[in-house]
Amino acid sequence: MNSTTSLPLHQGGNTPISALHPDIFQSHILALLDGPSLASLACVSSQLHALSTDDVLWFNICSSTWPSLNHPRLQQIISTFPSGHRSFFSDSFPFPDLQPLKLDVNSWTLPTELIFAVDVYYQNQIIYSKVEEMDTSSSWFLCSPFRVDLLDPKDSASTPVKYLGGSQDEAWLKHLEENLSLSWIVINPTRKKAVNVSSRRAVSVQRHWLTGDVQVRFGTVTAGDEGRGSSRELVECGVVVTCCGKEGGEMHVREVCMVMEDMEGKGLNGKESLVILEGVIEQGRRKGGEGNEGKVKYEEFQERKRERKEENQRKERVLDLVCISVGVVGFVSFWSAILFK
């Protein structure tokens, strides 16, 4: 009977893991793992934890997962995180959890700068990356509607993706929904924290009613800064990627923008958006998730918006009826007083 050599994780077996040279173990085993697998392996033993926390491993994982992080400014900022790239991955890979935000604006200062690291993928291959730095301290920003545009209106970014349409339009839109993905990481360089506000997979794909451009929407729904029943009970952080092109030619990315809206479809201003984003970053709750989870949350949010709109319309109709009734009663009373005086 053939014998096999076991490699136990703890002392007591035939060959302890310490017998392997750390460089060999890291380069031939750990370097082949993705982020979640490496994080799980680090929990197995103290020896594996020591090997798995090497920042070079996490640097390679972060750089391959999000090519935008190769920006020199981001590398400098990530190096200041508590555990470097490992901390950044822990912040940015999972979804923010949809939990009520316990916001205490007086206990912390709103950020004076935010950095956005954005990557757009087609079939898991990068087609567009951008790093955007935003000054959030000006009174103009705090009072204006919150909107982040990565491309100038006159510019567009070419991609290797073939643009289809015509008779294949419906299948093409479905194809984009299934194969286009996005990562939008919000970084607070002062607090050395980050959060990924993208749903990763598209939550809706449709053509613009006027231009015919394809609008691919990604959205994350989070708890707002107001109580139950208010318009900001829930808030959507929505990202729209607008694509255009000629049939059979290259697809161009014409617009990538982010806005934040409440349950009535009203856009939040800069200060309101900063409060929400800072609350999500500070919350610390994270959970894994892939697939259509973001789309399910988005559809639930849209249903809540529709119900709220219908309820407001009913209240307005009742109010109109009351006003009309009061007006009629007042009119009849006035003329009755005149005629029967």
Side-chain angles (χ1 to χ4, degrees):
M1 181 177 180
N2 295 331
S3 61
T4 58
T5 302
S6 60
L7 187 61
L9 298 178
H10 301 286
Q11 299 288 346
N14 295 332
T15 307
I17 196 171
S18 57
L20 281 178
H21 194 282
D23 291 343
I24 296 177
F25 192 75
Q26 286 182 335
S27 60
H28 289 76
I29 299 177
L30 299 185
L32 303 179
L33 301 179
D34 59 14
S37 300
L38 187 60
S40 299
L41 188 64
C43 300
V44 174
S45 73
S46 59
Q47 291 174 314
L48 288 177
H49 182 271
L51 293 173
S52 301
T53 54
D54 182 75
D55 195 62
V56 174
L57 292 172
W58 290 101
F59 167 81
N60 292 331
I61 288 174
C62 288
S63 297
S64 60
T65 305
W66 305 294
S68 59
L69 300 188
N70 291 314
H71 191 282
R73 173 88 195 280
L74 290 186
Q75 286 301 318
Q76 185 274 325
I77 292 173
I78 294 174
S79 67
T80 66
F81 275 49
S83 297
H85 289 82
R86 185 163 63 95
S87 292
F88 184 86
F89 186 90
S90 177
D91 285 349
S92 305
F93 183 79
F95 287 104
D97 201 356
L98 182 59
Q99 296 288 340
L101 300 182
K102 298 178 180 178
L103 300 175
D104 183 5
V105 181
N106 295 324
S107 67
W108 37 263
T109 305
L110 291 178
T112 58
E113 179 188 23
L114 288 179
I115 301 177
F116 307 102
V118 183
D119 296 285
V120 182
Y121 309 84
Y122 176 76
Q123 293 181 343
N124 297 321
Q125 299 297 315
I126 192 71
I127 61 173
Y128 177 77
S129 284
K130 181 71 179 291
V131 174
E132 184 78 9
E133 302 178 39
M134 177 173 286
D135 177 14
T136 60
S137 62
S138 68
S139 57
W140 178 87
F141 171 84
L142 297 174
C143 298
S144 301
F146 179 81
R147 181 183 175 95
V148 183
D149 287 292
L150 300 186
L151 281 168
D152 187 274
K154 298 180 181 179
D155 296 335
S156 65
S158 61
T159 72
V161 183
K162 186 178 180 181
Y163 190 90
L164 300 177
S167 60
Q168 307 178 63
D169 190 62
E170 185 175 347
W172 164 242
L173 295 182
K174 183 66 175 178
H175 176 80
L176 282 182
E177 180 178 346
E178 294 174 348
N179 292 277
L180 209 64
S181 57
L182 174 136
S183 168
W184 188 299
I185 301 175
V186 181
I187 304 169
N188 183 337
T190 303
R191 293 185 174 273
K192 302 175 180 58
K193 291 188 177 182
V195 66
N196 199 327
V197 296
S198 172
S199 57
R200 293 191 178 89
R201 298 296 178 184
V203 296
S204 71
V205 179
Q206 60 185 10
R207 287 194 178 274
H208 189 275
W209 66 275
L210 180 61
T211 64
D213 292 344
V214 178
Q215 294 184 317
V216 186
R217 189 176 188 89
F218 304 83
T220 295
V221 179
T222 183
D225 59 339
E226 295 183 356
R228 184 174 179 82
S230 69
S231 62
R232 293 214 298 269
E233 176 188 350
L234 296 175
V235 173
E236 181 203 0
C237 181
V239 178
V240 176
V241 178
T242 303
C243 305
C244 61
K246 295 182 179 180
E247 187 174 353
E250 286 185 346
M251 183 180 79
H252 291 256
V253 176
R254 193 170 65 82
E255 183 181 68
V256 182
C257 68
M258 180 176 79
V259 296
M260 298 190 72
E261 296 182 349
D262 63 15
M263 296 182 67
E264 293 181 352
K266 177 184 176 183
L268 275 61
N269 63 28
K271 183 176 181 180
E272 294 165 343
S273 299
L274 284 183
V275 170
I276 299 297
L277 289 174
E278 189 69 4
V280 174
I281 292 174
E282 291 290 330
Q283 189 83 339
R285 293 192 180 96
R286 301 287 188 270
K287 62 178 179 178
E290 289 291 346
N292 66 344
E293 181 181 358
K295 184 174 183 178
V296 171
K297 295 294 184 183
Y298 173 79
E299 291 174 347
E300 291 175 353
F301 179 73
Q302 294 301 314
E303 179 64 20
R304 292 280 299 275
K305 284 177 62 176
R306 185 187 64 79
E307 292 174 354
R308 186 179 180 86
K309 182 179 180 180
E310 292 177 351
E311 181 181 356
N312 289 339
Q313 289 175 341
R314 285 195 296 269
K315 290 179 179 179
E316 290 176 358
R317 286 195 293 267
V318 171
L319 182 60
D320 289 343
L321 183 60
V322 170
C323 292
I324 292 173
S325 300
V326 170
V328 171
V329 171
F331 179 81
V332 172
S333 300
F334 173 77
W335 284 106
S336 295
I338 296 295
L339 294 176
F340 297 101
K341 185 176 180 181

